[in-house]
Amino acid sequence: MDEFERSLKTHPLLEDLEPAYVQLIAACATSVGFRAGDLLIREGEREDTLYLIVRGTITIEVTRPGSAPSCVETIGAGDVLGVAQLTPATAHLDCRARETVVAIAIDNAALHRAMDDDPRFGYALATRMLARTYHRLARARLQQLDVYR
Amino acid sequence: MSANPYAVAPLTIARAVRELADVFTWTFDVPGGFAFRPGQFNMLYVHGVGEVPISISGDPAEPERLVHTIRAVGHVTCVMDRLVEGCVLGVRGPYGSAWPVDELKGRDVLVIAGGLGLAPLRPAILRLLAQRADYGRVTVLYGARTPADLLFRDELARWRGRFDLRVEATVDRAGHDWYGPVGVVTRLIDGVPLGHDDAVLICGPEIMMRFVARELEQRGVARDRIWISMERSMKCGVGLCGHCQLAGSFVCKDGPVYRFDRIAPFLQVKEL
């Protein structure tokens, strides 16, 4: 098993997923790296890639006119970036590598085709992504409450 | 505590330290000692202004120095914020229940604080560190609004420098000058190994504690292994006036520290 395959199989999103389904994902995935400061996703651009983070930290930033970017969340190893993009969408925030980042980049269009072709695979992956999305939504709501004020 | 629970002892502010823009710490020298258990609180009285319950944030091993960390948020505490070293206040206490640190010996302990909630937990952390060999893994997770709102920042840095304690801090938002995690404190729980016998102490805004407890339960932590510190409008301090009644208990007397299984059902009742 090479490093790429190991990273894919051991990523928390795909943990215990049927090997055949992991192979479907591997078919539309590639290993990528980013240097500190690189943008993985830029606000306003089409989100065509799903990233499974293997190593490093990514800041999710929002920029207000006249002020420096403000980080609203950091994500790291084991997390997923672009998890909500089960349908074509435009990025609403910048996602920047804070340090060297290693990730598995999955082509969204190819992934969606595979999910359409095999609805069982599509359902298995969609429920995992939905669970993560819900978890992050719950945390975002708590963050929005600004409870420490 | 004196035999009369309402007896107020006049104490002089020996040292005042600005912690954050709206948070300050007072130290009172008490030559005869002021024994307390971690998690307990005192009623602090500003003559002619009013009385407020404030958790003790000092080291239980140093009873001759009584320490309180206070946020200027209401009328009395805003008046307190203008007091200086040498001013005299009325102090009565200590009141309430305590973090069960002695009962937790031999176990891994996870401490989760949010905002000013680190202050009531500080005596417990200091006790754990003073008797470090008696406990398993000790982890402190701390959440604050921004990096500028991190309480006891120097002490957190010292704790992080120890090899026998894990300290993680996260903030809700930050600029590029912050290198730690950004996000709610519940997120930090993901990175902590939790065993079946671990104990968790939580203090912070009530809604944060509910979210944290829920996350812990999803990770398999039973409610009887979680303790939280509650806050209500406390007046008498001895469970008589009823201001702080929470279901069948009085927070000033039966709390502020509760084992979670005993209080959890009432946290879902909106009228309470």
Side-chain angles (χ1 to χ4, degrees), chain A residues 7 11-12 32-38 40 51-60 73-81 95-104, chain B residues 179-182 187:
Chain A
S7 297
H11 193 280
V32 292
F34 298 89
R35 293 187 186 138
D38 286 353
L40 283 78
Y51 294 102
L52 310 189
I53 310 304
V54 176
R55 183 157 54 87
T57 303
I58 294 148
T59 58
I60 301 177
E73 188 183 9
T74 51
I75 63 168
D79 284 323
V80 181
L81 193 61
C95 302
R96 189 187 307 275
R98 177 188 273 176
E99 59 209 14
T100 300
V101 167
V102 175
I104 295 164
Chain B
Y179 298 98
V182 177
R187 190 181 169 84

Side-chain angles (χ1 to χ4, degrees), chain A residues 3-4 17 25 37-39 51 57-58 72-73 80 82 88 107 110 115 122 133 143 147 149:
Chain A
E3 188 61 35
F4 173 72
L17 193 68
I25 295 168
D38 286 353
L39 280 172
Y51 294 102
T57 303
I58 294 148
V72 295
E73 188 183 9
V80 181
D107 180 274
M115 292 168 78
T133 304
Q143 198 170 354
V147 291
R149 193 166 191 157

Side-chain angles (χ1 to χ4, degrees), chain A residues 57-59 71-75 98-99, chain B residues 147 150 153 160 168-183 187-188:
Chain A
T57 303
I58 294 148
T59 58
C71 176
V72 295
E73 188 183 9
T74 51
I75 63 168
R98 177 188 273 176
E99 59 209 14
Chain B
L150 289 168
R153 199 175 175 134
R160 282 189 85 146
E168 303 286 343
T170 184
V171 295
D172 280 355
R173 59 192 66 90
H176 279 179
D177 53 349
W178 170 252
Y179 298 98
V182 177
R187 190 181 169 84
L188 296 178

Side-chain angles (χ1 to χ4, degrees), chain B:
Chain B
M1 190 194 295
S2 96
N4 178 354
Y6 297 110
V8 174
L11 292 180
T12 305
I13 302 169
R15 190 159 174 253
V17 174
R18 173 67 51 190
E19 302 279 2
L20 307 173
D22 57 349
V23 178
F24 52 96
T25 293
W26 285 342
T27 302
F28 301 94
D29 289 335
V30 190
F34 190 98
F36 70 96
R37 291 178 296 145
Q40 289 191 296
F41 69 95
N42 281 326
M43 298 299 296
L44 301 190
Y45 174 54
V46 182
H47 298 281
V49 178
E51 195 181 46
V52 285
I54 304 288
S55 295
I56 301 168
S57 59
D59 188 344
E62 296 182 359
E64 68 284 355
R65 292 198 304 167
L66 175 64
V67 181
H68 284 286
T69 301
I70 304 160
R71 168 170 279 157
V73 68
H75 176 60
V76 177
T77 50
C78 284
V79 171
M80 286 175 160
D81 198 16
R82 298 198 292 270
L83 300 182
V84 294
E85 291 168 2
C87 289
V88 177
L89 275 90
V91 178
R92 62 185 177 96
Y95 297 118
S97 57
W99 301 110
V101 279
D102 291 334
E103 294 171 31
L104 306 181
K105 286 183 178 173
R107 298 162 71 176
D108 291 354
V109 182
L110 171 60
V111 178
I112 305 177
L116 199 62
L118 187 58
L121 279 166
R122 184 172 175 264
I125 296 168
L126 292 173
R127 172 67 66 81
L128 294 171
L129 294 180
Q131 301 173 352
R132 185 65 193 85
D134 292 341
Y135 298 91
R137 275 183 305 221
V138 177
T139 306
V140 176
L141 307 181
Y142 180 41
R145 197 168 180 236
T146 70
D149 296 311
L150 289 168
L151 191 61
F152 307 140
R153 199 175 175 134
D154 292 345
E155 193 161 39
L156 283 170
R158 279 200 302 279
W159 289 344
R160 282 189 85 146
R162 293 177 64 127
F163 293 105
D164 59 357
L165 173 70
R166 178 177 168 191
V167 178
E168 303 286 343
T170 184
V171 295
D172 280 355
R173 59 192 66 90
H176 279 179
D177 53 349
W178 170 252
Y179 298 98
V182 177
V184 289
V185 71
T186 51
R187 190 181 169 84
L188 296 178
I189 298 170
D190 291 346
V192 178
L194 289 168
H196 73 280
D197 199 33
D198 294 3
V200 188
L201 314 180
I202 314 170
C203 188
E206 190 171 314
I207 190 161
M208 173 222 120
M209 293 195 292
R210 290 208 318 257
F211 273 75
V212 166
R214 199 169 297 146
E215 192 105 1
L216 289 167
E217 287 187 81
Q218 283 170 3
R219 287 281 309 275
V221 180
R223 288 183 169 184
D224 62 1
R225 291 190 285 121
I226 301 171
W227 284 263
I228 67 172
S229 181
M230 294 294 294
E231 202 174 67
R232 284 293 184 273
S233 174
M234 295 185 274
K235 298 289 183 191
C236 72
V238 291
L240 286 175
C241 74
H243 277 87
C244 64
Q245 186 174 357
L246 179 59
S249 77
F250 296 103
V251 176
C252 69
K253 181 171 69 72
D254 306 307
V257 176
Y258 289 91
R259 207 174 74 185
F260 189 59
D261 58 327
R262 293 175 179 151
I263 198 77
F266 306 117
L267 298 185
Q268 310 299 328
V269 182
K270 291 177 173 49
E271 293 78 13
L272 296 176

